[in-house]
Amino acid sequence: MAARFVLPALGLLSALSSTVDAALPTITTKGTKFFLDSGAQFFFKGVAYQLVPEDPLIDTAQCQRDATLMQQLGANSIRVYHVNPWANHDGCMAAFDAAGIYALIDLDTFNTTVTQTEPMWTQAQFQAYAHVMDTFSKYDNVAGFYIGNEIINSAGAPTLAAPYIKASTADLKAYQQKMNYRRIPIGYSHADVLGLRPGLQDYLVCGDSADALDFFSLNAYEWCGQQTYETSGYAALENATAYYPAPIFISETGCNQPAGRTFADQNAIFGPMSTTWSGSIIYEWIQEENQYGLITYGGGNTNALNSAAPAGGFVRSGTPTPVTPDFSNLEAVWKTVMPEYSTSAAAYSPNVTPISCPASTAGGWEVDPNGPIPTLGAAAVTAMSGYTAPAATGLSATSSASSARSSLTSAASSAASSASSLRNSLQSSAIATGAAAVSSASAAATSAKPNAAGKQVSGVSTGLGGLVLGLLMWL
């Protein structure tokens, strides 16, 4: 997935180190790679981190405890799926910075994400995403923002949400520039569905750079048990993405069938795949019902139906205790694995060929390559740039958010009419057939992959009603 280079030893240690003496260097993209501003190439050795549904980055003491153990593990990054932009994150972000750990932050929430079946991109959604960007752009250890996670997530599912992913990308990139924020990369995390590749991954980086992703990532669970680079499908994955014009990495991995994960896939990701792939994120930090956790906080599984029980029935704070043997296995792998192919920013001259937007095909990719991108446009970006968000507060942040409720609710209540005509236009040009069947390897991996309930501690309704109600509850 990339050309072979040799990274100076000191630069490589800097890129992968989990200890720091001062604020971490910022991360940017160049060509198909991530680089620290020190010039060293960066590879993700991360863990998915969502202790509680709303926001795991507001309890400083808990973040400090977790960051210390992550440092022992060898992690240099976390992925956080949902945050509350009205809360104060200074303590947690400082704790992870001190441990040499970067954060990937999702801009969407349970209630504001673009949906697969009723896609829309409204002013209310834009405001919600922008508030997250406002809150986290000041932290040097934010490595990237996610515009969405597995929005299109099954073979045969409609792909008409894709233009809305592009639209949200375009508006947030424009807002980032308008606000003179650091150019933190904006990307997308894709479900590992063979029938949707390469259509979606190509579409999200094709055409105008204004609406193209800065990076792409894949939630991949193919490597289960005693598989190899070839039998797992990883060799095919490397071959299928070697042309890709943007940085790419694995944003979830860690098949847990059979139990007792060895994380042998890390040797491939940091070995032959390091020509193209920039590391991986292990799913996940906390042990839950799905049995993907690296640590537990004690107490085991409590009765989730008890009103006093923690979310999902699992204790979500306290002293983290490693899960055996998963934690020690990953720690041992990360201590020894180093990127086989790497470079420095100074030595790297990108040779990137832009790709054409994929054509619509019967039985597969449904999106018109020349169809409209439903951005809100410059006026919405300018209006949002003049909005002053309430000051961040402590754990609840409820009173700070109340002043913004009316504007978000008003925009959400008119979302149906603003999105309807464009959705109909996109749908009229669609091909109403399913995507190609996934391979046997992907099918096996899907059965081992955590479902939405496994990734999210609480569910939400979708569509306009869910968006309006969700925004009110979220605020």
Side-chain angles (χ1 to χ4, degrees):
M1 301 184 179
R4 180 166 193 162
F5 300 95
V6 177
L7 185 68
L10 289 178
L12 182 56
L13 291 175
S14 173
L16 295 175
S17 173
S18 60
T19 59
V20 292
D21 295 321
L24 290 174
T26 59
I27 289 177
T28 189
T29 61
K30 179 180 179 181
T32 63
K33 306 180 188 305
F34 293 93
F35 290 98
L36 304 179
D37 63 15
S38 63
Q41 188 177 350
F42 183 82
F43 294 83
F44 290 95
K45 285 185 174 180
V47 292
Y49 186 71
Q50 191 75 39
L51 305 185
V52 293
E54 301 83 8
D55 192 336
L57 300 178
I58 54 180
D59 185 340
T60 299
Q62 188 59 53
C63 290
Q64 290 170 336
R65 289 189 289 267
D66 291 334
T68 298
L69 191 59
M70 287 182 194
Q71 196 173 31
Q72 175 186 324
L73 178 66
N76 65 11
S77 48
I78 56 174
R79 180 183 176 187
V80 179
Y81 297 82
H82 302 288
V83 294
N84 173 7
W86 312 109
N88 190 316
H89 304 88
D90 291 350
C92 278
M93 292 303 290
F96 285 112
D97 186 287
I101 294 173
Y102 291 88
L104 292 159
I105 305 292
D106 281 43
L107 295 174
D108 63 318
T109 69
F110 290 120
N111 311 303
T112 61
T113 183
V114 173
T115 62
Q116 178 174 254
T117 56
E118 296 182 14
M120 63 178 68
W121 176 240
T122 69
Q123 185 71 22
Q125 289 168 293
F126 174 49
Q127 287 178 328
Y129 283 44
H131 289 326
V132 176
M133 181 176 282
D134 291 337
T135 297
F136 283 89
S137 288
K138 67 181 180 180
Y139 301 116
D140 286 346
N141 60 328
V142 172
F145 289 124
Y146 273 113
I147 206 75
N149 177 65
E150 296 192 350
I151 292 171
I152 305 172
N153 55 33
S154 59
T159 56
L160 297 179
Y164 295 88
I165 301 173
K166 259 189 176 295
S168 57
T169 302
D171 286 336
L172 268 298
K173 288 177 77 170
Y175 179 71
Q176 188 179 58
Q177 183 175 8
K178 185 76 173 179
M179 297 298 290
N180 292 316
Y181 289 149
R182 176 169 67 88
R183 288 298 304 275
I184 298 173
I186 296 175
Y188 176 78
S189 182
H190 181 34
D192 188 15
V193 180
L194 183 62
L196 296 176
R197 302 197 316 260
L200 185 62
Q201 69 185 32
D202 286 359
Y203 179 74
L204 294 181
V205 296
C206 74
D208 191 341
S209 61
D211 56 42
L213 295 177
D214 297 318
F215 68 89
F216 185 86
S217 64
L218 181 69
N219 296 342
Y221 291 84
E222 288 98 336
W223 195 305
C224 298
Q226 300 301 312
Q227 288 191 303
T228 67
Y229 183 44
E230 288 74 24
T231 62
S232 66
Y234 274 37
L237 188 61
E238 161 68 15
N239 292 334
T241 52
Y243 70 93
Y244 206 62
I248 186 170
F249 63 96
I250 294 181
S251 44
E252 286 181 13
T253 187
C255 174
N256 65 356
Q257 296 182 3
R261 296 181 289 177
T262 62
F263 303 101
D265 65 331
Q266 298 299 292
N267 294 303
I269 294 168
F270 288 90
M273 296 176 71
S274 63
T275 58
T276 305
W277 296 75
S278 295
S280 68
I281 306 293
I282 303 298
Y283 193 83
E284 63 176 325
W285 182 245
I286 185 174
Q287 182 76 299
E288 299 182 274
E289 188 67 34
N290 58 27
Q291 299 296 299
Y292 277 84
L294 293 170
I295 65 94
T296 179
Y297 294 110
N301 189 6
T302 60
N303 184 0
L305 298 179
N306 186 325
S307 61
F314 284 82
V315 176
R316 300 183 176 277
S317 62
T319 300
T321 301
V323 169
T324 303
D326 293 34
F327 186 97
S328 59
N329 285 347
L330 181 58
E331 180 183 6
V333 170
W334 274 354
K335 277 183 178 178
T336 59
V337 71
M338 301 289 275
E340 182 178 345
Y341 302 96
S342 53
T343 187
S344 66
Y348 176 54
S349 297
N351 184 18
V352 176
T353 302
I355 59 177
S356 300
C357 294
S360 297
T361 57
W365 182 248
E366 302 172 336
V367 179
D368 179 356
N370 301 311
I373 306 299
T375 63
L376 297 175
V381 171
T382 299
M384 187 62 199
S385 67
Y387 174 81
T388 301
T393 63
L395 295 179
S396 67
T398 303
S399 61
S400 298
S402 62
S403 62
R405 180 183 289 112
S406 60
S407 63
L408 289 175
T409 304
S410 175
S413 65
S414 63
S417 59
S418 66
S420 177
S421 61
L422 187 49
R423 184 189 303 117
N424 291 339
S425 172
L426 290 167
Q427 192 160 358
S428 67
S429 65
I431 300 171
T433 53
V438 298
S439 66
S440 58
S442 289
T446 298
S447 66
K449 182 179 186 292
N451 58 25
K455 294 181 186 178
Q456 299 176 347
V457 184
S458 62
V460 296
S461 59
T462 58
L464 180 61
L467 175 62
V468 175
L469 179 59
L471 282 168
L472 289 172
M473 294 176 65
W474 173 61
L475 290 172

